[in-house]
Amino acid sequence: MSITLSEKDNGYIEGFAGFKKNAPGSSLDWLQSVRERAITKFSELGFPTPQNEDWRFTNVAPIARSSFNILENGHDKVSSSDLTQFQFEDTEVAELVFINGHYSKELSKYGNLPEGVILKNLADAIESEQEIVKSNLARYADFKDEAFTALNTAFMEDGGFVYIPKGIVVETPIHLLYISTDEGTPSITNPRNLIIAEDNCEANVIEHYTSMTDNIYLSNVVTEIVVGENSTIGHYMIELESKKAFNISTLRVQQARSSNIRSHSVLLGGSLVRNNVHPVLAGEGCDSLINGLYMPSHRQHMDNYMKVEHASPHCDSRQLYNGILDGRSRGVFHGRIIVHEDAQKTDAKQTNRNLLLSDTAQIDTKPQLEIYADDVKCTHGATIGQIDENALFYLRSRGISKDAARDIILHAFTNEALESMGVDSVKNYCYKLVTNWFDQRKEEQES
Amino acid sequence: MLEIKNLHASVEGQEILKGLNLTINAGEVHSIMGPNGSGKSTLAQVLAGRDSYEITEGEILFEGKDLLELEPEERACEGIFMAFQYPVEIPGVANTYLLREALNSVRKYRGEEPLKHIEFAKYAKQKMEVMQISDNLLKRAVNEGFSGGEKKRNEIFQMQVLEPKLAILDETDSGLDIDALKVVSDGVNALRSPERGFLVITHYQRLLDYIVPDFVHVLVDGKIVKTGGKELALELEDKGYGWVEEEKTAANS
Ligand SMILES: Nc1ncnc2c1ncn2[C@@H]1O[C@H](COP(=O)(O)OP(=O)(O)OP(=O)(O)O)[C@@H](O)[C@H]1O
Ligand SMILES: [Mg+2]
């Protein structure tokens, strides 16, 4: 029996009552209690409105108005040959595949992971890796103030679980592939990923949200990453949802001493997208690199909400987000940097650059620095503009055609946000996505 | 090769070039000198095809073709090259990438095969030596963070690679020390040939010791007011531009 969620008639609460009984790990009291607290919080908070400062530029009314089904399994519609278009070339990966939020064992592959590394779907890990899951799940991603995180926590069913023991370098990239195939009434999934690296580890995890239909659905994602001392984790978010989909995602990273996170977001799909990135630099001497590229067109809305929290001394953070906006699209970059009292010698830098390709595209960019320490270096800069006419003329005066010159400038702009990606095959995949985006734009202009 | 007849150009409704005439034949080096704001860069930019200038009157023929009908890239492919007074920084685009794209665009226009990576590298290598361009400078983003001297050398390096028929140098000497000036001049002189024309815009006679012009023109207030041989440059340096204007006023009255 499928469960329907909507704001009308207490639909979320009633839906929860039905959901809870058959949810993964429903026999575990601690987990059920987390879910209970989360649904209570969600019903108190409700969906955010633009009166909420953190949601000033993004109105989620289209989500609040909808009703969504929680789907049953739908693996039968997908074969492994359907997956090729979503896979990276020339590289061996470990890959968990989720269809409409449900793990598919048949489509997933585990590659050549070092001994001791645990890669599983979360629903299984809840049972088999109970201790690790229990002490980390929902510990970092705040559901007391964040409605979407509360919603996810209440309704989480499955997702990726990665555990890397001390001192292990995982060469094989880990791909968490979420595909929507739904064609009926709007549906909701609440992917929940938990990635735990002990000390002195290295790994790369790619979250990838995409679709084989152009249906309306909501992917409400929460990912928690716990980075042990001196470990380096590369995280990739490739958002390629259907044209009509909603994607709300929250990445919460907890960093121990001297650890390193390299986060890359590429937002291309979806009608309404919100990308929350929230690293907490909790140990001394951490490094965070937080890069992103968003390219809304038509009527797409893409909101990047950064919350970079410096909680210890001697940490560096570097944010670079580039946006290309076309059509009647709207973009948001809200860059919060919080430097706690103890976080002396913080070095934080934020850059947000935007290129508007049409007169009707719009961007709101807002830095927000909250600094409670006195010996810190924080810089931020935002630019909004069109293609630089001087650069265009310079290239043309060297014999390069106007179209090619534009392409060169636009690609340089997108590459700036992508070139720091450490996994070449993923980087090349993203380059290709961007090239497709430009090609499609050209086609539309010509027709 | 180049014939400019009664050229009037304005920007934002303000006339800058006010009836300029100039003919450059293949093999000749012409120098234009003139006070700040007299319209030297405007002339250079108009020749290269900058569309922020409106041509209100006159014509420009390049090898008999109506230049004003051509897009900037077509002019470049026809063999016009302008070294910018202020070269533009293009973040994210490697210098070498720009050069290869440019060269191959020009080759394509002429119906020639594009150069492959290795062929291009070999070709560029010789030119790099002449212009003392390091591998590092070649790999860096176009003009980004280049020193003033590096930017100017890089412009002439591009000219070397593209081997234009007509080269317009807009104050390529400004801000160069004597060593850099020599490198730049050697780069220019290496290309001098009976098929090529040069238009050298400068404020300083010094450059013309190295790149010896056949003609020196004085541009004042959008018009060429005096033309002479290379000795005119010396005279201008000595006496400034005032006397040219006075002489002209005297002659007119
Ligand atoms: N794009 C523009 N917009 C507005 N005014 C312009 C523009 N380009 C040139 N001008 C004006 O036209 C006049 C001539 O400028 P131009 O740059 O051609 O002078 P120049 O002779 O090259 O001077 P300099 O010796 O300082 O390089 C100046 O008054 C300048 O301010
Ligand atoms: Mg000038």
Side-chain angles (χ1 to χ4, degrees):
Chain A
M1 197 204 71
S2 89
I3 293 171
T4 304
L5 304 181
S6 83
E7 257 201 335
K8 276 197 303 258
D9 312 324
N10 267 341
Y12 280 93
I13 295 188
E14 278 177 23
F16 180 75
F19 167 81
K20 191 179 78 167
K21 280 183 272 173
N22 297 313
S26 56
S27 63
L28 304 170
D29 290 343
W30 66 269
L31 184 58
Q32 292 298 66
S33 129
V34 169
R35 286 186 170 126
E36 295 280 358
R37 278 186 281 140
I39 191 68
T40 307
K41 266 296 160 198
F42 176 73
S43 57
E44 282 168 26
L45 293 166
F47 285 109
T49 65
Q51 275 75 52
N52 179 335
E53 192 53 31
D54 293 342
W55 292 86
R56 206 172 111 201
F57 304 111
T58 297
N59 189 345
V60 298
I63 295 175
R65 273 201 304 267
S66 296
S67 62
F68 298 106
N69 282 334
I70 296 179
L71 291 180
E72 318 265 299
N73 217 322
H75 300 166
D76 43 342
K77 293 186 194 133
V78 183
S79 69
S80 58
S81 63
D82 292 327
L83 300 184
T84 12
Q85 55 180 315
F86 308 123
Q87 286 166 331
F88 317 117
E89 276 169 32
D90 307 320
T91 193
E92 182 75 25
V93 297
E95 190 168 74
L96 298 190
V97 180
F98 299 85
I99 309 295
N100 302 327
H102 296 276
Y103 168 65
S104 164
K105 186 162 188 271
E106 301 71 46
L107 296 172
S108 299
K109 59 185 178 196
Y110 288 80
N112 224 346
L113 293 174
E115 220 178 291
V117 172
I118 305 172
L119 172 65
K120 277 196 169 160
N121 61 310
L122 184 69
D124 284 356
I126 286 171
E127 309 276 355
S128 63
E129 317 301 328
Q130 221 187 108
E131 283 316 305
I132 305 173
V133 174
K134 186 178 168 183
S135 52
N136 289 287
L137 186 69
R139 178 165 162 205
Y140 301 104
D142 165 38
F143 61 79
K144 291 178 195 70
D145 297 308
E146 306 289 340
F148 283 100
T149 304
L151 184 64
N152 173 287
T153 307
F155 287 98
M156 60 187 167
E157 281 185 89
D158 215 345
F161 173 83
V162 183
Y163 175 80
I164 304 155
K166 232 181 181 142
I168 300 284
V169 175
V170 184
E171 307 266 2
T172 313
I174 297 170
H175 190 197
L176 306 176
L177 178 56
Y178 291 87
I179 303 173
S180 164
T181 65
D182 180 40
E183 282 169 347
T185 48
S187 62
I188 182 171
T189 61
N190 290 284
R192 182 78 181 209
N193 305 300
L194 181 60
I195 297 153
I196 295 155
E198 300 286 0
D199 300 346
N200 299 312
C201 299
E202 265 181 63
N204 290 291
V205 179
I206 303 104
E207 288 182 50
H208 191 169
Y209 297 88
T210 189
S211 164
M212 286 167 50
T213 69
D214 58 6
N215 198 34
I216 304 174
Y217 58 88
L218 166 61
S219 300
N220 179 36
V221 184
V222 174
T223 299
E224 289 169 295
I225 304 184
V226 187
V227 192
E229 280 188 20
N230 209 29
S231 286
T232 298
I233 298 296
H235 177 266
Y236 299 75
M237 166 59 144
I238 303 176
E239 185 277 309
L240 251 188
E241 301 277 28
S242 94
K243 289 197 292 273
K244 294 183 195 152
F246 310 114
N247 181 295
I248 311 283
S249 69
T250 297
L251 172 66
R252 172 67 171 84
V253 183
Q254 183 74 10
Q255 290 189 251
R257 189 187 183 92
S258 303
S259 69
N260 204 326
I261 183 84
R262 305 174 67 82
S263 144
H264 310 273
S265 301
V266 177
L267 311 183
L268 294 166
S271 68
L272 172 56
V273 176
R274 164 85 163 204
N275 175 38
N276 298 305
V277 181
H278 181 187
V280 177
L281 296 84
E284 275 191 39
C286 297
D287 257 320
S288 288
L289 175 123
I290 305 133
N291 283 2
L293 175 67
Y294 48 100
M295 299 175 70
S297 63
H298 303 99
R299 290 178 170 276
Q300 286 178 292
H301 181 110
M302 292 182 180
D303 179 348
N304 299 279
Y305 185 93
M306 305 290 118
K307 189 170 166 187
V308 177
E309 226 178 307
H310 283 262
S312 269
H314 295 287
C315 295
D316 290 358
S317 64
R318 293 285 174 274
Q319 298 174 60
L320 172 70
Y321 263 68
N322 280 4
I324 293 188
L325 298 95
D326 195 13
R328 310 180 68 82
S329 70
R330 189 153 177 205
V332 182
F333 180 84
H334 187 152
R336 277 178 84 182
I337 300 175
I338 304 164
V339 181
H340 291 282
E341 206 178 327
D342 291 340
Q344 300 297 357
K345 305 282 180 196
T346 286
D347 184 348
K349 188 173 178 200
Q350 177 187 94
T351 310
N352 173 229
R353 286 195 248 274
N354 296 283
L355 271 186
L356 302 178
L357 300 187
S358 79
D359 298 338
T360 44
Q362 193 186 330
I363 173 78
D364 291 290
T365 174
K366 178 185 169 188
Q368 185 178 336
L369 272 46
E370 297 153 54
I371 300 172
Y372 305 101
D374 46 29
D375 185 11
V376 303
K377 207 165 104 192
C378 276
T379 58
H380 64 89
T383 59
I384 302 171
Q386 279 87 36
I387 287 190
D388 180 0
E389 288 295 327
N390 289 323
L392 200 58
F393 177 63
Y394 189 80
L395 293 174
R396 293 178 73 190
S397 78
R398 296 310 182 237
I400 298 169
S401 75
K402 190 175 180 178
D403 275 352
R406 278 180 75 95
D407 275 0
I408 289 174
I409 293 169
L410 290 174
H411 274 108
F413 185 79
T414 55
N415 289 0
E416 193 184 26
L418 300 178
E419 67 195 357
S420 60
M421 291 184 164
V423 182
D424 283 340
S425 57
V426 179
K427 178 157 69 178
N428 291 336
Y429 184 80
C430 293
Y431 281 152
K432 220 166 65 189
L433 293 176
V434 167
T435 303
N436 290 347
W437 190 98
F438 286 125
D439 288 348
Q440 200 179 332
R441 178 171 191 268
K442 246 175 248 161
E443 264 171 44
E444 283 169 16
Q445 280 180 332
E446 279 158 17
S447 66
Chain B
M1 146 182 282
L2 182 75
E3 263 181 283
I4 305 174
K5 293 180 201 157
N6 189 31
L7 182 66
H8 290 255
S10 50
V11 62
E12 287 159 9
Q14 191 198 332
E15 188 162 69
I16 296 166
L17 299 181
K18 302 172 179 172
L20 188 142
N21 295 290
L22 177 67
T23 301
I24 298 177
N25 296 307
E28 293 175 352
V29 175
H30 291 243
S31 171
I32 289 192
M33 303 179 84
N36 292 123
S38 55
K40 303 181 298 297
S41 292
T42 302
L43 173 63
Q45 301 266 335
V46 164
L47 288 172
R50 183 100 198 192
D51 63 5
S52 39
Y53 299 94
E54 197 194 342
I55 311 303
T56 50
E57 227 184 303
E59 69 174 341
I60 307 176
L61 297 178
F62 180 65
E63 298 191 309
K65 287 193 189 100
D66 182 357
L67 196 67
L68 296 174
E69 285 297 304
L70 301 181
E71 297 292 331
E73 56 269 31
E74 292 170 322
R75 299 181 194 198
C77 291
E78 288 286 343
I80 290 183
F81 178 91
M82 195 249 307
F84 283 61
Q85 181 174 4
Y86 304 110
V88 183
E89 301 193 1
I90 314 181
V93 178
N95 214 3
T96 169
Y97 181 79
L98 158 64
L99 268 178
R100 202 165 71 93
E101 286 296 303
L103 182 63
N104 281 339
S105 302
V106 174
R107 290 177 67 91
K108 190 174 162 195
Y109 187 88
R110 296 195 205 124
E112 295 165 6
E113 286 293 304
L115 287 189
K116 297 201 180 65
H117 274 281
I118 305 172
E119 294 166 334
F120 173 75
K122 236 168 95 183
Y123 175 71
K125 195 82 204 163
Q126 319 159 336
K127 311 279 184 180
M128 282 166 71
E129 273 159 28
V130 180
M131 294 313 299
Q132 301 187 8
I133 298 280
S134 65
D135 281 328
N136 175 42
L137 208 67
L138 201 62
K139 280 188 203 127
R140 277 167 55 187
V142 179
N143 293 318
E144 197 182 35
F146 287 21
S147 70
E150 284 171 337
K151 283 183 181 167
K152 297 299 172 81
R153 262 193 289 140
N154 194 45
E155 293 291 291
I156 301 306
F157 171 55
Q158 291 179 0
M159 178 187 83
Q160 286 261 343
V161 168
L162 295 174
E163 300 186 326
K165 292 178 194 153
L166 173 67
I168 302 149
L169 313 182
D170 191 358
E171 295 202 23
T172 303
D173 56 328
S174 294
L176 296 185
D177 62 26
I178 192 74
D179 293 330
L181 185 70
K182 276 184 190 149
V183 173
V184 162
S185 314
D186 286 349
V188 173
N189 287 329
L191 278 195
R192 281 186 77 163
S193 82
E195 297 82 46
R196 248 182 219 118
F198 288 87
L199 181 59
V200 181
I201 296 170
T202 181
H203 281 286
Y204 308 105
Q205 190 276 329
R206 186 181 70 153
L207 174 71
L208 306 180
D209 284 341
Y210 296 96
I211 306 172
V212 182
D214 301 300
F215 301 95
V216 173
H217 309 277
V218 184
L219 182 66
V220 177
D221 194 22
K223 270 190 233 168
I224 289 178
V225 294
K226 195 173 175 68
T227 295
K230 61 175 186 284
E231 49 321 314
L232 178 56
L234 277 170
E235 215 173 338
L236 287 167
E237 181 130 302
D238 227 25
K239 304 198 223 161
Y241 298 108
W243 69 274
V244 184
E245 288 170 73
E246 278 157 29
E247 194 183 82
K248 195 177 165 233
T249 330
N252 284 352
S253 60

